Amino acid sequence: MVAKIIDGRDLANSQKQQLAEKVTLFVKKYGIVPSLHVILAGDYPSSQIYVRNKQRACQVVGIESVLHQFPGSTTQSEIEQLIEKLNLDDSVNGILVQLPLPSQLNSQRILEKINPLKDVDGLHPYNLGRLLMNKPLLAPCTPQGCLQLIKTVYDTVESKNVVVVGRSILVGRSLAVLLTNENATVTLAHSKTKNLKDVCKTADILIAAIGSSEFLTSDYVKPGAVVIDVGINRIDVGGVHVLKGDVHQPSVEKVAGYLTPVPGGVGPMTISNLLLNTLKAVELQKF
Ligand code: NDP
């Protein structure tokens, strides 16, 4: 068996096309250009790449993006003061804090400062609580993207056995809630899970959000399973940086039914969902 590739770039591009049309109509009807403000602190090279990609994507669909850049030595109050200002500004629709923040900053407190209706990353406790109650307003972007990728294979995840490996709020834990809300039977695995291989092999849908390059080999995969690889690991191969997922693609593609590549799988979907959330945020604020 050779797994079919689920092309995240293609799906994200068609989402962006539809979104661009919606934004155009929105601007015509209400005279409002949706606006996303991104806060970037420090000089992590990958954060700078992510932010650049997000800003480019905004441009493609007609969303205004504004970057607020801080040095690595910035203080908690500088960031919090900016967020307070952006919260009060009606022309600002989305606020995104690029993570990770420099270590002297309290990320959780910063995320909690954001007005939940402008929280386009969906990481404010209010939005996470709404997700938990199955009444989501703005849900985290990567989990939404994973669900959309799965739905290119199955119309519904109802009654499917799903194993999510990794329990961060940003990805694994939120995704487990999202899938549970969609009536999947979800196992949330992590570093303390026993017999991880056996657990993973029960999955009709296996999701890797671990942060460990090529960790999940074919030994973890049930034949025919849908495998979603969230991982983005920058690996030095002979002085050149290459991106690897959490899934060992060469072996898994011989066993899985469907597989998302890295790059070109979940990554583009995270960005398109950020844009979708930004338009949703405008609607929540205005209507
Ligand atoms: P975290 O480091 O926050 O979480 C990693 C999770 O993996 C933890 O729950 C940890 O378990 C679990 N884990 C680590 N080692 C093992 C192991 N040996 N066996 C089982 N579980 C293990 O990472 P994130 O969730 O933020 O990110 C995960 C990956 O996804 C990263 O590669 C990241 O770059 C990528 N990512 C990709 C995005 C995209 O758009 N494609 C967006 C966000 C992240 P425990 O809790 O027990 O420590």
Side-chain angles (χ1 to χ4, degrees):
M1 178 183 295
V2 178
K4 292 202 176 92
I5 296 299
I6 309 175
D7 190 334
R9 266 194 200 117
D10 248 21
L11 183 57
N13 281 339
S14 69
Q15 284 183 339
K16 282 191 273 185
Q17 225 166 25
Q18 286 173 21
L19 193 60
E21 287 163 18
K22 270 196 189 163
V23 171
T24 307
L25 285 177
F26 196 85
V27 175
K28 254 193 207 152
K29 199 163 169 192
Y30 301 106
I32 298 166
V33 179
S35 146
L36 172 67
H37 285 240
V38 179
I39 299 171
L40 175 63
D43 46 14
Y44 301 105
S46 37
S47 292
Q48 296 190 347
I49 296 170
Y50 293 145
V51 166
R52 220 172 21 244
N53 290 342
K54 288 170 185 174
Q55 290 203 288
R56 271 198 206 122
C58 282
Q59 212 177 5
V60 168
V61 302
I63 291 176
E64 181 198 31
S65 74
V66 179
L67 177 62
H68 301 269
Q69 209 157 355
F70 290 87
S73 58
T74 191
T75 62
Q76 185 83 14
S77 68
E78 277 179 307
I79 307 256
E80 289 190 8
Q81 275 170 25
L82 173 63
I83 292 176
E84 276 163 18
K85 198 173 120 215
L86 298 176
N87 281 343
L88 294 172
D89 185 341
D90 284 344
S91 71
V92 175
N93 305 116
I95 303 172
L96 179 151
V97 176
Q98 184 64 43
L99 299 174
L101 288 170
S103 57
Q104 76 276 14
L105 301 177
N106 181 333
S107 305
Q108 190 54 38
R109 244 179 55 200
I110 286 174
L111 293 177
E112 288 182 23
K113 276 271 163 202
I114 299 174
N115 174 349
L117 296 185
K118 297 187 177 186
D119 169 39
V120 286
D121 250 350
L123 296 176
H124 189 285
Y126 177 80
N127 280 316
L128 291 169
R130 298 280 308 214
L131 179 67
L132 201 60
M133 294 163 73
N134 198 7
K135 298 198 181 319
L137 286 181
L138 294 166
C141 301
T142 304
Q144 290 194 94
C146 291
L147 181 61
Q148 291 153 0
L149 287 166
I150 294 165
K151 286 194 170 174
T152 65
V153 179
Y154 295 123
D155 291 341
T156 170
V157 293
E158 184 164 315
S159 307
K160 297 283 183 217
N161 290 327
V162 185
V163 175
V164 181
V165 190
R167 58 176 163 179
S168 71
I169 297 282
L170 184 63
V171 190
R173 200 177 294 227
S174 303
L175 180 53
V177 173
L178 195 62
L179 290 161
T180 305
N181 292 345
E182 298 263 333
N183 296 324
T185 303
V186 182
T187 304
L188 185 55
H190 44 77
S191 68
K192 305 285 186 281
T193 299
K194 277 191 183 157
N195 305 324
L196 184 63
K197 276 186 192 169
D198 294 337
V199 172
C200 288
K201 277 198 139 168
T202 65
D204 304 315
I205 301 166
L206 176 62
I207 296 153
I210 306 166
S212 181
S213 178
E214 299 190 311
F215 181 88
L216 293 187
T217 59
S218 54
D219 295 348
Y220 291 76
V221 180
K222 176 162 108 175
V226 175
V227 179
I228 305 291
D229 189 353
V230 182
I232 301 180
N233 305 289
R234 283 192 162 69
I235 306 296
D236 189 330
V237 180
V240 181
H241 279 97
V242 293
L243 291 187
K244 295 277 182 197
D246 289 342
V247 170
H248 184 254
Q249 306 247 343
S251 67
V252 169
E253 70 184 2
K254 294 191 182 115
V255 177
Y258 297 84
L259 176 61
T260 60
V262 176
V266 176
M269 297 299 295
T270 296
I271 295 186
S272 60
N273 276 280
L274 170 67
L275 306 175
L276 288 166
N277 272 357
T278 304
L279 190 60
K280 196 165 177 196
V282 186
E283 289 166 352
L284 288 170
Q285 288 153 34
K286 304 292 174 196
F287 308 114

